[in-house]
């Protein structure tokens, strides 16, 4: 147990709000919180645990900015209550890689300039990780369809698609994950290029 | 969101008990519709009952050759279950045509049946709506009603049921299993959702406190000739304007058995047995399909912005039946996608 929190970080406690204990396993660490039952998983991450990599876009399940992985499956954390996740294993963007050792998707997003403002990016990457875990999408059309829950208002879609396809192609070619992230293998159809503005 | 208490029910009986013990309790499945409505203050339960530990997530074969979908099975686990893909591909296709991958990972099969209309006025607390506030009036009749119903409407409500999954379940003649204060019962799928009549606040025939425990699919899955055609404003991540679930059993060119259900056109998934009867025994030709389509739309009524749906539905039925006959929606390599050629 690493945290016992009763008010959002840096704010006064909410008056008269009945709280409920919940233990959340996030990125491998167990956090015990006392929170109001109406706290969404997204608000628990951002406001109580300072895991602000996960973004709030629409707060209504429409944009995908809040995507996290629960037991390896992607969900919208804005439409889920923290108290519903007592026994879940939650992975956020902070848990996918480290600054020294980026995950293959994180590296591919950088290599292919798959973002502009970056606001949708943590959700895009968590969603793409969920897509890879599902093992259903193989072609570009399938990736487009199965990434449709993540909107990008900057319109970085074509580079996001290239980045996701690179990781999928590398995975299908059987390259171990550790070797993709170094940029060892570039897919035939998508040569590395200088970032475009 | 208003304040509420939350308990995780350990079993079905405890969930029902807990519901009876509270004034305004609600079950919560994935939360993708309920929490959305609570954030908008359209739903204001004071107590939520979690269902994750009730042991209702399994998908299992039945002795009669059918398949039981647990109420807590997620939409994604259902669509990608090997038995559903193989024996009920119409259902797979319909589920995958709805929402997004994230939402399908959260949404449960029970919650999908119970999702409420997407009528804009239902969501807007500043406008009258008989479904939200009985007796206040219907803002969609005479208002903006592009997404609204053309069949089975009433003077009090012209909302549609927004589910894709339910259209396939209607065509496949599923049975809803329910547990409640007075024990267990089953409801034929066609009797589960209601028409608005003069009580549009009631979407379905569940009694207070009743919990959906599962859905039974009959053995016959129409896995050889089927199509779920969904027409919408963009080709992904949007609700249907009109959708058609078509399933055929063919003997050469002759239709031996047929199922036809529509989404986006009524307060409930709209299955039409009279249209099915016009298909059975007939050759699988465009003329036959047009006759069935005319039957479905016979009593259709437009309200202005949505009048286009009548012709759209007519054409969608003909195309879906043609696709089911020829299985042309599977000619591309995205076998699992609803590609709407
Ligand atoms: C952005 C967005 C896009 C969407 N697009 C589509 C689409 O294109 N097509 C489509 O079909 N759907 C779509 N949906 C709707 C989605 O499919 C539903 O929200 C989902 O199926 C509801 O399931 P749930 O488990 O999350 O229900 P919840 O939100 O948990 O519950 C919904 C209702 O059901 C009740 N309930 C839940 N489980 C039970 C049970 N076992 N017994 C009795 N009552 C129960 C709850 O009390 C509540 O009233 C979309 C949703 C969103 C947010
Ligand atoms: S159509 Fe139904 S849900 Fe929409 S405003 Fe009218 S009464 Fe309300
Ligand atoms: S913030 Fe959750 S989907 Fe937009
Ligand atoms: S990079 Fe700006 S929203 Fe996607």
């Amino acid at each position: 147990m690493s945290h016992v929190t009763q008010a959002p970080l840096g704010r006064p406690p909410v008056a008269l709000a009945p709280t409920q204990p919940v233990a959340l396993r996030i990125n491998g660490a167990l956090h015990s919180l006392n929170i109001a039952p109406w706290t969404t998983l997204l608000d628990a991450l951002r406001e109580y645990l300072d895991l602000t990599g996960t973004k709030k876009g629409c707060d209504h399940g429409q944009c995908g900015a809040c995507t996290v992985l629960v037991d390896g499956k992607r969900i919208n954390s804005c439409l889920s209550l923290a108290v519903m996740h007592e026994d879940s294993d939650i992975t956020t963007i902070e848990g996918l890689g480290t600054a020294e050792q980026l995950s293959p998707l994180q590296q591919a997003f950088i290599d292919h300039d798959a973002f502009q403002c970056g606001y949708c990016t943590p959700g895009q990457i968590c969603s793409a990780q969920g897509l890879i875990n599902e093992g259903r999408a193989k072609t570009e059309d399938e990736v487009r369809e199965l990434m449709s829950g993540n909107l990008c208002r900057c319109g970085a879609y074509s580079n996001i698609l290239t980045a996701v396809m690179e990781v999928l192609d590398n995975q299908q070619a059987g390259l171990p994950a550790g070797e993709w992230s170094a940029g060892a293998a570039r897919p035939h159809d998508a040569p590395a290029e200088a970032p475009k503005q | 969101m208003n304040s509420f208490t939350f308990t995780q029910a350990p079993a079905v009986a405890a969930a029902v008990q807990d519901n009876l013990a509270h004034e305004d309790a609600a079950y919560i499945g994935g939360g993708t519709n309920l929490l959305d409505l609570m954030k908008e203050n359209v739903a204001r339960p004071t107590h939520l009952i979690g269902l994750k530990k009730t042991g209702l997530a399994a998908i299992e074969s039945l002795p009669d050759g059918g398949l039981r979908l647990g109420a807590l099975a997620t939409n994604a686990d259902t669509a990608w279950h090997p038995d559903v893909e193989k024996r009920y591909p119409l259902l797979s296709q319909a589920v995958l045509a709805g929402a997004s991958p994230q939402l399908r990972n959260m949404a449960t099969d029970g919650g999908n049946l119970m999702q409420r209309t997407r009528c804009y006025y239902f969501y807007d607390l500043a406008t009258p709506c008989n479904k939200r506030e009985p007796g206040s009036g219907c803002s969609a009749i005479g208002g903006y009603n592009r997404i609204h119903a053309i069949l089975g409407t009433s003077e009090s409500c012209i909302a549609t049921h927004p589910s894709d999954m339910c259209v396939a379940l209607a065509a496949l003649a599923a049975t809803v299993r329910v547990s409640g204060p007075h024990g267990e019962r089953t409801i034929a799928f066609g009797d589960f959702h209601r028409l608005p009549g003069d009580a549009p606040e009631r979407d379905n025939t569940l009694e207070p406190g009743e919990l959906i425990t599962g859905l039974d699919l009959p053995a016959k899955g129409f896995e050889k000739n089927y199509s779920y055609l969904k027409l919408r404003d963009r080709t992904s991540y949007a609700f249907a304007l009109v959708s058609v679930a078509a399933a055929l059993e063919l003997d050469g060119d002759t239709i031996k058995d047929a199922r036809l259900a529509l989404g986006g056109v009524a307060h409930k998934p709209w299955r039409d047995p009279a249209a099915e009867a016009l298909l059975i025994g007939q050759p699988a030709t465009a003329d036959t399909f047009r006759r069935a389509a005319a039957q479905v739309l016979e009593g259709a009524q437009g309200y202005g912005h949505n009048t286009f749906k009548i012709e759209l539905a007519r054409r969608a039925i003909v195309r879906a039946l043609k696709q089911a006959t020829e299985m042309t929606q599977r000619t591309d390599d995205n076998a699992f996608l609803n590609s709407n050629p």
Side-chain angles (χ1 to χ4, degrees):
Chain A
M1 284 188 204
S2 51
H3 283 71
V4 178
T5 317
Q6 283 185 285
L9 295 167
R11 305 214 188 116
V14 186
L16 298 177
T19 60
Q20 195 165 324
V22 59
L24 297 174
R25 180 175 294 283
I26 303 164
N27 301 329
L30 197 62
H31 301 268
S32 292
L33 295 173
N34 257 305
I35 51 176
W38 52 86
T39 312
T40 60
L41 178 59
L42 174 61
D43 286 343
L45 293 170
R46 291 183 54 85
E47 308 294 332
Y48 290 81
L49 294 166
D50 207 21
L51 289 166
T52 52
T54 308
K55 302 298 184 223
K56 183 182 281 192
C58 64
D59 214 20
H60 285 283
Q62 299 172 0
C63 74
C66 65
T67 304
V68 300
L69 298 160
V70 171
D71 301 323
K73 294 181 177 176
R74 45 182 165 158
I75 68 154
N76 302 113
S77 60
C78 70
L79 283 189
S80 203
L81 298 173
V83 290
M84 291 161 71
H85 292 285
E86 182 79 49
D87 300 316
S88 325
D89 212 336
I90 298 157
T91 307
T92 67
I93 188 70
E94 290 91 345
L96 279 183
T98 61
E100 298 73 39
Q101 178 105 50
L102 296 174
S103 82
L105 277 165
Q106 289 170 325
Q107 186 64 50
F109 268 61
I110 293 172
D111 291 347
H112 294 284
D113 200 22
F115 44 82
Q116 290 176 47
C117 77
Y119 197 80
C120 72
T121 312
Q124 299 278 3
I125 293 179
C126 285
S127 187
Q129 187 61 56
L131 172 144
I132 289 170
N133 297 351
E134 286 155 13
R136 290 281 168 163
K138 303 266 186 303
T139 67
E140 289 198 350
D141 278 351
E142 290 165 355
V143 171
R144 275 195 199 96
E145 168 63 25
L146 291 182
M147 286 296 289
S148 64
N150 292 82
L151 307 188
C152 172
R153 58 183 294 178
C154 299
Y157 296 110
S158 61
N159 291 2
I160 293 170
L161 179 67
T162 307
V164 176
M165 285 309 293
E166 173 179 273
V167 177
L168 270 179
D169 284 349
N170 281 339
Q171 191 195 43
Q172 273 163 32
L175 291 177
E179 283 166 36
W180 314 334
S181 51
R186 300 276 173 213
H188 33 82
D189 54 346
E193 43 188 83
K196 296 171 283 219
Q197 275 309 307
Chain B
M1 261 192 275
N2 284 358
S3 64
F4 58 84
T5 49
F6 175 88
T7 46
Q8 193 68 266
V12 169
V16 173
Q17 280 303 319
D18 197 21
N19 195 315
L20 293 179
H22 290 84
E23 184 77 6
D24 283 307
Y27 299 119
I28 183 163
T32 61
N33 190 226
L34 184 59
L35 294 177
D36 196 25
L37 291 168
M38 286 168 70
K39 288 181 185 196
E40 298 287 0
N41 258 328
V42 175
R44 289 184 288 266
T46 55
H47 182 65
L48 289 188
I49 302 160
L51 300 174
K52 275 198 177 154
K53 304 221 167 126
T54 52
L56 294 175
I59 295 178
E60 49 203 3
S61 292
L62 294 169
D64 68 353
L67 193 69
R68 177 166 299 169
L69 312 172
L72 268 282
T74 65
N75 288 181
D77 285 349
T78 303
W80 284 338
H81 190 279
D83 285 334
V84 178
E85 285 192 301
K86 196 163 142 243
R87 293 160 57 196
Y88 307 95
L90 174 67
L91 178 60
S92 266
Q93 216 176 38
V95 174
L96 292 173
S100 70
Q102 288 96 316
L103 289 162
R104 295 194 294 265
N105 277 339
M106 310 163 77
T108 63
D109 291 352
N112 193 307
L113 265 61
M114 299 290 293
Q115 64 174 298
R116 309 215 64 193
T117 186
R118 308 307 282 205
C119 170
Y120 348 94
Y121 303 107
F122 176 69
Y123 268 81
D124 181 356
L125 295 187
T127 58
C129 166
N130 286 326
K131 188 180 276 300
R132 176 167 37 73
E133 185 100 32
S136 63
C138 171
S139 300
I141 300 176
Y144 188 63
N145 49 39
R146 185 166 179 273
I147 63 171
H148 287 77
I150 51 171
L151 288 165
T153 54
S154 77
E155 281 169 16
S156 12
C157 179
I158 59 170
T160 60
H161 191 266
S163 168
D164 290 299
M165 179 183 195
C166 290
V167 184
L169 290 171
L172 292 168
T175 304
V176 186
R177 300 177 60 82
V178 164
S179 197
H182 307 296
E184 299 185 355
R185 64 180 181 124
T186 56
I187 308 170
F189 203 82
D191 298 331
F192 184 82
H193 296 100
R194 335 174 31 256
L195 290 179
D198 56 8
E201 68 277 13
R202 292 192 61 200
D203 295 349
N204 54 56
T205 52
L206 271 196
E207 297 296 334
E210 278 188 324
L211 173 75
I212 301 171
T213 56
L215 293 157
D216 286 356
L217 296 169
K220 196 165 182 175
F222 295 91
E223 70 284 355
K224 290 208 183 79
N225 292 93
Y226 62 88
S227 177
Y228 187 73
L229 176 64
K230 179 175 179 180
L231 302 174
R232 41 188 158 169
D233 284 327
R234 52 175 190 239
T235 54
S236 187
Y237 205 8
F239 285 95
L241 288 166
V242 169
S243 70
V244 182
L248 298 172
E249 187 186 351
L250 296 173
D251 183 3
D253 288 339
T254 307
I255 301 171
K256 266 183 73 187
D257 198 0
R259 299 287 173 76
L260 190 59
L262 273 71
V265 296
H267 197 258
K268 60 187 286 187
W270 191 264
R271 182 175 165 199
D272 190 331
E276 292 169 0
L278 287 178
L279 293 166
I280 296 168
Q282 300 300 310
T285 60
D287 275 347
T288 305
F289 302 157
R290 276 195 285 270
R291 274 195 294 276
Q295 163 65 37
V296 174
L297 277 315
E298 202 181 41
Q301 182 188 351
Y303 289 85
H305 305 100
N306 72 345
T307 308
F308 73 97
K309 281 192 181 185
I310 300 174
E311 184 58 23
L312 188 67
R314 203 188 312 276
R315 295 185 194 190
I317 292 168
V318 175
R319 188 199 282 190
L321 286 165
K322 185 166 179 285
Q323 286 182 182
T325 305
E326 299 167 357
M327 287 307 282
T328 36
Q329 77 269 41
R330 301 210 145 210
T331 51
D332 66 355
D333 58 355
N334 307 336
F336 68 94
L337 300 178
N338 178 31
S339 48
N340 300 343

